[in-house]
mmCIF file of all heavy atoms in Angstrom:
data_model
loop_
_atom_site.group_PDB
_atom_site.id
_atom_site.type_symbol
_atom_site.label_atom_id
_atom_site.label_comp_id
_atom_site.label_asym_id
_atom_site.label_seq_id
_atom_site.Cartn_x
_atom_site.Cartn_y
_atom_site.Cartn_z
ATOM 1 N N ASP D 118 73.939 104.296 89.977
ATOM 2 C CA ASP D 118 74.876 105.343 89.560
ATOM 3 C C ASP D 118 74.425 106.005 88.269
ATOM 4 O O ASP D 118 74.933 107.054 87.891
ATOM 5 C CB ASP D 118 76.275 104.744 89.284
ATOM 6 C CG ASP D 118 76.915 104.218 90.543
ATOM 7 O OD1 ASP D 118 76.527 104.678 91.617
ATOM 8 O OD2 ASP D 118 77.770 103.330 90.421
ATOM 9 N N TYR D 358 84.434 102.673 86.872
ATOM 10 C CA TYR D 358 83.019 103.013 86.776
ATOM 11 C C TYR D 358 82.666 103.196 85.301
ATOM 12 O O TYR D 358 83.472 103.746 84.545
ATOM 13 C CB TYR D 358 82.728 104.326 87.510
ATOM 14 C CG TYR D 358 82.800 104.221 89.004
ATOM 15 C CD1 TYR D 358 83.871 104.778 89.715
ATOM 16 C CD2 TYR D 358 81.809 103.588 89.732
ATOM 17 C CE1 TYR D 358 83.944 104.702 91.092
ATOM 18 C CE2 TYR D 358 81.866 103.503 91.116
ATOM 19 C CZ TYR D 358 82.924 104.070 91.795
ATOM 20 O OH TYR D 358 82.977 103.970 93.167
ATOM 21 N N SER D 359 81.447 102.778 84.942
ATOM 22 C CA SER D 359 81.084 102.895 83.514
ATOM 23 C C SER D 359 80.936 104.350 83.112
ATOM 24 O O SER D 359 81.101 104.690 81.943
ATOM 25 C CB SER D 359 79.795 102.139 83.256
ATOM 26 O OG SER D 359 78.805 102.596 84.131
ATOM 27 N N ASN D 360 80.646 105.235 84.068
ATOM 28 C CA ASN D 360 80.373 106.627 83.704
ATOM 29 C C ASN D 360 81.457 107.589 84.171
ATOM 30 O O ASN D 360 81.209 108.758 84.369
ATOM 31 C CB ASN D 360 79.011 107.052 84.294
ATOM 32 C CG ASN D 360 78.969 106.813 85.782
ATOM 33 O OD1 ASN D 360 79.886 106.224 86.358
ATOM 34 N ND2 ASN D 360 77.938 107.302 86.438
ATOM 35 N N SER D 361 82.670 107.056 84.396
ATOM 36 C CA SER D 361 83.723 107.958 84.878
ATOM 37 C C SER D 361 85.070 107.418 84.439
ATOM 38 O O SER D 361 85.224 106.234 84.143
ATOM 39 C CB SER D 361 83.606 108.069 86.404
ATOM 40 O OG SER D 361 84.847 108.070 87.026
ATOM 41 N N PHE D 363 87.579 107.375 86.321
ATOM 42 C CA PHE D 363 88.334 106.888 87.470
ATOM 43 C C PHE D 363 88.376 105.359 87.488
ATOM 44 O O PHE D 363 87.411 104.690 87.127
ATOM 45 C CB PHE D 363 87.700 107.387 88.773
ATOM 46 C CG PHE D 363 88.372 106.810 89.973
ATOM 47 C CD1 PHE D 363 89.555 107.343 90.433
ATOM 48 C CD2 PHE D 363 87.836 105.685 90.601
ATOM 49 C CE1 PHE D 363 90.205 106.785 91.520
ATOM 50 C CE2 PHE D 363 88.478 105.127 91.691
ATOM 51 C CZ PHE D 363 89.666 105.665 92.152
ATOM 52 N N GLY D 382 94.863 107.981 102.086
ATOM 53 C CA GLY D 382 95.036 108.550 100.744
ATOM 54 C C GLY D 382 94.223 109.821 100.630
ATOM 55 O O GLY D 382 93.299 110.027 101.438
ATOM 56 N N VAL D 383 94.576 110.635 99.667
ATOM 57 C CA VAL D 383 93.847 111.913 99.510
ATOM 58 C C VAL D 383 92.423 111.633 99.038
ATOM 59 O O VAL D 383 92.105 110.536 98.608
ATOM 60 C CB VAL D 383 94.563 112.852 98.503
ATOM 61 C CG1 VAL D 383 95.923 113.279 99.032
ATOM 62 C CG2 VAL D 383 94.689 112.148 97.144
ATOM 63 N N ASN D 384 91.569 112.670 99.121
ATOM 64 C CA ASN D 384 90.185 112.517 98.652
ATOM 65 C C ASN D 384 90.154 112.074 97.203
ATOM 66 O O ASN D 384 90.948 112.560 96.401
ATOM 67 C CB ASN D 384 89.442 113.855 98.736
ATOM 68 C CG ASN D 384 89.204 114.259 100.169
ATOM 69 O OD1 ASN D 384 89.107 113.398 101.041
ATOM 70 N ND2 ASN D 384 89.148 115.557 100.408
ATOM 71 N N GLY D 385 89.240 111.164 96.902
ATOM 72 C CA GLY D 385 89.068 110.730 95.507
ATOM 73 C C GLY D 385 90.092 109.748 95.028
ATOM 74 O O GLY D 385 90.174 109.461 93.846
ATOM 75 N N SER D 386 90.887 109.183 95.962
ATOM 76 C CA SER D 386 91.914 108.249 95.502
ATOM 77 C C SER D 386 91.364 106.848 95.297
ATOM 78 O O SER D 386 92.042 105.976 94.744
ATOM 79 C CB SER D 386 93.100 108.244 96.477
ATOM 80 O OG SER D 386 92.651 107.970 97.772
ATOM 81 N N GLY D 387 90.144 106.582 95.770
ATOM 82 C CA GLY D 387 89.516 105.283 95.480
ATOM 83 C C GLY D 387 89.282 104.389 96.689
ATOM 84 O O GLY D 387 88.949 103.215 96.536
ATOM 85 N N LYS D 388 89.437 104.949 97.888
ATOM 86 C CA LYS D 388 89.338 104.115 99.102
ATOM 87 C C LYS D 388 87.917 103.548 99.271
ATOM 88 O O LYS D 388 87.732 102.356 99.500
ATOM 89 C CB LYS D 388 89.734 104.965 100.337
ATOM 90 C CG LYS D 388 91.127 105.575 100.216
ATOM 91 C CD LYS D 388 91.475 106.420 101.396
ATOM 92 C CE LYS D 388 90.623 107.642 101.632
ATOM 93 N NZ LYS D 388 90.673 108.685 100.620
ATOM 94 N N THR D 389 86.907 104.426 99.151
ATOM 95 C CA THR D 389 85.525 103.972 99.346
ATOM 96 C C THR D 389 85.125 103.003 98.248
ATOM 97 O O THR D 389 84.442 102.001 98.499
ATOM 98 C CB THR D 389 84.576 105.189 99.378
ATOM 99 O OG1 THR D 389 85.059 106.080 100.380
ATOM 100 C CG2 THR D 389 83.163 104.790 99.683
ATOM 101 N N THR D 390 85.595 103.281 97.030
ATOM 102 C CA THR D 390 85.301 102.372 95.907
ATOM 103 C C THR D 390 85.825 100.981 96.232
ATOM 104 O O THR D 390 85.143 99.960 96.012
ATOM 105 C CB THR D 390 85.973 102.907 94.629
ATOM 106 O OG1 THR D 390 85.536 104.242 94.432
ATOM 107 C CG2 THR D 390 85.626 102.072 93.423
ATOM 108 N N PHE D 391 87.016 100.926 96.793
ATOM 109 C CA PHE D 391 87.620 99.656 97.154
ATOM 110 C C PHE D 391 86.749 98.925 98.187
ATOM 111 O O PHE D 391 86.498 97.716 98.074
ATOM 112 C CB PHE D 391 89.031 99.920 97.701
ATOM 113 C CG PHE D 391 89.740 98.701 98.180
ATOM 114 C CD1 PHE D 391 90.047 97.661 97.317
ATOM 115 C CD2 PHE D 391 90.104 98.576 99.522
ATOM 116 C CE1 PHE D 391 90.687 96.516 97.748
ATOM 117 C CE2 PHE D 391 90.750 97.430 99.967
ATOM 118 C CZ PHE D 391 91.045 96.400 99.093
ATOM 119 N N LYS D 393 83.594 99.227 98.554
ATOM 120 C CA LYS D 393 82.364 98.759 97.900
ATOM 121 C C LYS D 393 82.594 97.455 97.164
ATOM 122 O O LYS D 393 81.716 96.595 97.101
ATOM 123 C CB LYS D 393 81.835 99.840 96.945
ATOM 124 C CG LYS D 393 81.229 101.013 97.718
ATOM 125 C CD LYS D 393 80.648 102.046 96.800
ATOM 126 C CE LYS D 393 79.988 103.152 97.601
ATOM 127 N NZ LYS D 393 79.709 104.323 96.778
ATOM 128 N N TYR D 399 79.941 96.116 93.636
ATOM 129 C CA TYR D 399 80.375 96.056 92.219
ATOM 130 C C TYR D 399 81.259 94.831 92.073
ATOM 131 O O TYR D 399 81.876 94.384 93.033
ATOM 132 C CB TYR D 399 81.240 97.268 91.857
ATOM 133 C CG TYR D 399 80.594 98.615 92.050
ATOM 134 C CD1 TYR D 399 80.882 99.396 93.149
ATOM 135 C CD2 TYR D 399 79.705 99.101 91.109
ATOM 136 C CE1 TYR D 399 80.306 100.650 93.314
ATOM 137 C CE2 TYR D 399 79.128 100.355 91.265
ATOM 138 C CZ TYR D 399 79.432 101.109 92.370
ATOM 139 O OH TYR D 399 78.860 102.326 92.520
ATOM 140 N N ASP D 513 84.874 103.159 107.353
ATOM 141 C CA ASP D 513 85.281 104.245 106.453
ATOM 142 C C ASP D 513 85.087 105.556 107.184
ATOM 143 O O ASP D 513 83.953 106.007 107.384
ATOM 144 C CB ASP D 513 84.386 104.189 105.184
ATOM 145 C CG ASP D 513 84.876 105.166 104.113
ATOM 146 O OD1 ASP D 513 85.736 106.001 104.420
ATOM 147 O OD2 ASP D 513 84.385 105.074 102.970
ATOM 148 N N ILE D 543 89.479 102.977 106.887
ATOM 149 C CA ILE D 543 89.900 104.141 106.097
ATOM 150 C C ILE D 543 89.860 105.325 107.058
ATOM 151 O O ILE D 543 88.855 105.504 107.757
ATOM 152 C CB ILE D 543 88.918 104.438 104.962
ATOM 153 C CG1 ILE D 543 88.923 103.309 103.939
ATOM 154 C CG2 ILE D 543 89.254 105.752 104.291
ATOM 155 C CD1 ILE D 543 87.909 103.521 102.847
ATOM 156 N N HIS D 545 91.424 109.563 107.723
ATOM 157 C CA HIS D 545 92.376 110.657 107.520
ATOM 158 C C HIS D 545 93.050 110.984 108.829
ATOM 159 O O HIS D 545 94.064 111.664 108.854
ATOM 160 C CB HIS D 545 91.635 111.906 107.019
ATOM 161 C CG HIS D 545 91.257 111.807 105.593
ATOM 162 N ND1 HIS D 545 89.965 111.960 105.159
ATOM 163 C CD2 HIS D 545 92.005 111.541 104.494
ATOM 164 C CE1 HIS D 545 89.931 111.807 103.844
ATOM 165 N NE2 HIS D 545 91.158 111.557 103.426
ATOM 166 N N MET D 559 96.887 104.883 99.249
ATOM 167 C CA MET D 559 96.275 104.827 97.924
ATOM 168 C C MET D 559 96.371 106.185 97.242
ATOM 169 O O MET D 559 96.171 107.215 97.897
ATOM 170 C CB MET D 559 94.807 104.412 98.082
ATOM 171 C CG MET D 559 94.214 103.838 96.837
ATOM 172 S SD MET D 559 92.542 103.252 97.147
ATOM 173 C CE MET D 559 92.791 101.539 97.199
HETATM 174 P P1 LIG K 601 87.767 108.276 98.256
HETATM 175 O O1 LIG K 601 86.967 107.355 99.119
HETATM 176 O O2 LIG K 601 89.215 107.903 98.222
HETATM 177 O O3 LIG K 601 87.585 109.714 98.580
HETATM 178 P P2 LIG K 601 86.045 107.328 96.142
HETATM 179 O O4 LIG K 601 86.333 105.892 96.057
HETATM 180 O O5 LIG K 601 84.810 107.737 96.846
HETATM 181 O O6 LIG K 601 87.301 108.096 96.764
HETATM 182 O O7 LIG K 601 86.000 107.948 94.693
HETATM 183 C C1 LIG K 601 87.064 107.763 93.787
HETATM 184 C C2 LIG K 601 86.664 108.399 92.469
HETATM 185 O O8 LIG K 601 85.608 107.686 91.900
HETATM 186 C C3 LIG K 601 86.229 109.852 92.594
HETATM 187 O O9 LIG K 601 86.866 110.595 91.596
HETATM 188 C C4 LIG K 601 84.731 109.813 92.352
HETATM 189 O O10 LIG K 601 84.306 110.933 91.642
HETATM 190 C C5 LIG K 601 84.585 108.576 91.500
HETATM 191 N N1 LIG K 601 83.305 107.923 91.822
HETATM 192 C C6 LIG K 601 82.866 107.552 93.040
HETATM 193 N N2 LIG K 601 81.662 106.967 92.954
HETATM 194 C C7 LIG K 601 81.321 106.993 91.642
HETATM 195 C C8 LIG K 601 80.202 106.533 90.899
HETATM 196 N N3 LIG K 601 79.191 105.949 91.487
HETATM 197 N N4 LIG K 601 80.202 106.728 89.567
HETATM 198 C C9 LIG K 601 81.244 107.312 88.943
HETATM 199 N N5 LIG K 601 82.321 107.768 89.576
HETATM 200 C C10 LIG K 601 82.384 107.603 90.908
#
Side-chain angles (χ1 to χ4, degrees):
D118 294 336
Y358 289 108
S359 54
N360 55 353
S361 140
F363 175 80
V383 294
N384 291 331
S386 55
K388 303 179 296 296
T389 305
T390 305
F391 177 63
K393 287 183 177 166
Y399 302 101
D513 188 349
I543 294 177
H545 284 125
M559 201 175 256

